[in-house]
Amino acid sequence: MSSGKKCKHCGSSEIEVDPARGDAVCTNCGSVLEDSIIVADIEFQETTHGGASVIGQFVSAESKGGASGFGRAFNSGVGQESRDVTLRKAKDGITALCQQLRLNQQCIDIACNFFKLALMRHLTIGRPAAHTQAACVYMMCRTEGTAHLLIDISDALQICCYQLGRTYFKLSKALCINIPPTEVSGFNLY
């Protein structure tokens, strides 16, 4: 297949472009003129329910080779790559907070699972990431019965205790997490 380009080495216009390999080669001198051609065409196909889905793959500017699924992510509005980044950042934040509070790996894993649940149900949208992560750590503390209070987590992150409490309350209710009451010196605190 020949394109309208000219070889910059020999001046020949006999250029073979192979979309499958993603390269352009001069057939006269053999020089590879381009080796990572990206097709910018977008194609759609109709789904069984009358909707539209994208055919092809999405290549991120940050990716190094490979691609992530574009069709499914395009329809739902949330890319898997974005979700992975969010989960990784949340795990880093939760790990740092749990280490500050001297909590073990099992506690970190439980808090991360609470965060995954919140992310799957779109409960993280519109909330500061630190508040959501801290609320997940506090939910873990309450369900596992550790000695940490909400104010301990609030102090560790230097965030408002009341805002953190509101986030914790909304997440625990939305996720239907059964939180046992806290007992301090014979009094029950909710």
Side-chain angles (χ1 to χ4, degrees), residues 102-173:
R102 296 184 183 2
L103 294 166
N104 62 24
Q105 185 61 44
Q106 181 184 358
C107 293
I108 294 170
D109 293 340
I110 292 169
C112 287
N113 286 336
F114 282 141
F115 187 88
K116 284 180 192 174
L117 286 172
L119 185 64
M120 283 180 2
R121 295 190 184 173
H122 306 288
L123 300 172
T124 59
I125 298 170
R127 301 186 201 289
H131 291 199
T132 307
Q133 294 163 13
C136 291
V137 170
Y138 186 60
M139 278 193 288
M140 177 278 307
C141 289
R142 292 288 299 272
T143 57
E144 296 300 303
T146 69
H148 298 89
L149 300 174
L150 189 65
I151 197 158
D152 297 328
I153 296 170
S154 173
D155 286 346
L157 292 177
Q158 295 296 303
I159 58 178
C160 176
C161 188
Y162 294 108
Q163 289 177 344
L164 179 55
R166 274 193 297 274
T167 303
Y168 154 73
F169 184 73
K170 287 178 182 177
L171 286 180
S172 64
K173 292 298 177 199

Side-chain angles (χ1 to χ4, degrees), residues 1-188:
M1 167 159 78
S2 182
S3 71
K5 299 179 183 180
K6 287 195 173 210
C7 177
K8 56 186 168 190
H9 299 287
C10 69
S12 172
S13 59
E14 298 289 324
I15 309 297
E16 183 178 324
V17 178
D18 187 351
R21 286 193 321 250
D23 63 6
V25 179
C26 175
T27 56
N28 188 39
C29 69
S31 295
V32 177
L33 303 176
E34 293 182 64
D35 63 352
S36 59
I37 299 172
I38 297 175
V39 178
D41 295 343
I42 297 176
E43 294 182 38
F44 295 91
Q45 71 180 12
E46 189 173 342
T47 63
T48 56
H49 300 292
S53 67
V54 177
I55 300 172
Q57 293 182 328
F58 174 72
V59 180
S60 161
E62 294 86 32
S63 68
K64 295 180 173 83
S68 59
F70 186 66
R72 188 181 75 245
F74 185 81
N75 286 332
S76 67
V78 177
Q80 188 63 37
E81 190 173 282
S82 174
R83 183 174 297 260
D84 292 341
V85 169
T86 302
L87 283 172
R88 188 180 70 244
K89 286 181 179 179
K91 183 171 183 167
D92 292 345
I94 289 169
T95 301
L97 177 57
C98 287
Q99 287 174 346
Q100 238 180 323
L101 299 171
R102 296 184 183 2
L103 294 166
N104 62 24
Q105 185 61 44
Q106 181 184 358
C107 293
I108 294 170
D109 293 340
I110 292 169
C112 287
N113 286 336
F114 282 141
F115 187 88
K116 284 180 192 174
L117 286 172
L119 185 64
M120 283 180 2
R121 295 190 184 173
H122 306 288
L123 300 172
T124 59
I125 298 170
R127 301 186 201 289
H131 291 199
T132 307
Q133 294 163 13
C136 291
V137 170
Y138 186 60
M139 278 193 288
M140 177 278 307
C141 289
R142 292 288 299 272
T143 57
E144 296 300 303
T146 69
H148 298 89
L149 300 174
L150 189 65
I151 197 158
D152 297 328
I153 296 170
S154 173
D155 286 346
L157 292 177
Q158 295 296 303
I159 58 178
C160 176
C161 188
Y162 294 108
Q163 289 177 344
L164 179 55
R166 274 193 297 274
T167 303
Y168 154 73
F169 184 73
K170 287 178 182 177
L171 286 180
S172 64
K173 292 298 177 199
L175 295 175
C176 301
I177 306 294
N178 187 16
I179 306 290
T182 302
E183 292 185 26
V184 179
S185 303
F187 297 101
N188 284 335

